[in-house]
Amino acid sequence: MKSNTAQNIVHLGMSEMPAIKPEILTELQREMGLQNCQDVVERAVLELSDRLWNLENQLKKHNLPEVQRIANSLIAISQQIGLTEFASVAQSLANSISHADQTTVRAIAARLLRVGEVSLFYALRFHDDFG
């Protein structure tokens, strides 16, 4: 069954669906309380958003070592809040850089931006749908 957020994502025409491990957010909420968990998720989403913006700028500059560093940081942060698809695509990006295939790097980076947009939106709405 799709949540309201998932239905809204489809309605908005976003083609990527986020994969999330709700048990991670549920466990964070149990350990920290609802408000503290929401604060942590919001800070993580802001940090991920800033890093995605920086990643996009570094791609334009063809600074692949920095793109790889940013991708690795995206993996770590997104895993902490259960954004599994986002982490997986960031891992694919980090891996593709070591092969130095510009076409592949750009394609995966574009997908990461799409997945990132919908995943961050979904993470912010998680507690409204499941909390």
Side-chain angles (χ1 to χ4, degrees), residues 10-82:
V10 172
H11 179 69
L12 293 171
M14 296 179 188
S15 60
E16 298 285 352
M17 291 299 295
I20 189 168
K21 282 191 164 182
E23 60 271 13
I24 291 176
L25 289 172
T26 301
E27 181 64 20
L28 283 173
Q29 184 177 327
R30 187 188 64 72
E31 290 176 6
M32 306 172 83
L34 178 61
Q35 187 58 54
N36 287 335
C37 181
Q38 286 176 327
D39 291 345
V40 166
V41 170
E42 287 173 10
R43 283 193 305 270
V45 166
L46 287 173
E47 186 63 31
L48 289 167
S49 178
D50 285 346
R51 289 175 193 228
L52 279 173
W53 179 83
N54 192 20
L55 182 135
E56 197 169 16
N57 286 331
Q58 294 304 316
L59 275 169
K60 289 176 186 174
K61 296 176 184 177
H62 305 287
N63 186 351
L64 292 183
E66 185 63 12
V67 169
Q68 189 168 32
R69 187 194 67 74
I70 295 167
N72 285 326
S73 69
L74 292 171
I75 296 163
I77 297 168
S78 58
Q79 286 176 336
Q80 291 174 354
I81 61 171

Side-chain angles (χ1 to χ4, degrees), residues 60-129:
K60 289 176 186 174
K61 296 176 184 177
H62 305 287
N63 186 351
L64 292 183
E66 185 63 12
V67 169
Q68 189 168 32
R69 187 194 67 74
I70 295 167
N72 285 326
S73 69
L74 292 171
I75 296 163
I77 297 168
S78 58
Q79 286 176 336
Q80 291 174 354
I81 61 171
L83 299 177
T84 56
E85 184 67 16
F86 186 75
S88 176
V89 177
Q91 183 67 63
S92 294
L93 178 60
N95 293 344
S96 71
I97 290 170
S98 62
H99 295 36
D101 177 357
Q102 287 289 327
T103 303
T104 302
V105 168
R106 295 219 174 268
I108 295 171
R111 180 159 187 250
L112 181 61
L113 294 171
R114 289 189 312 272
V115 169
E117 179 182 357
V118 70
S119 295
L120 299 181
F121 172 78
Y122 195 75
L124 288 174
R125 297 281 310 169
F126 175 80
H127 292 290
D128 292 343
D129 290 342

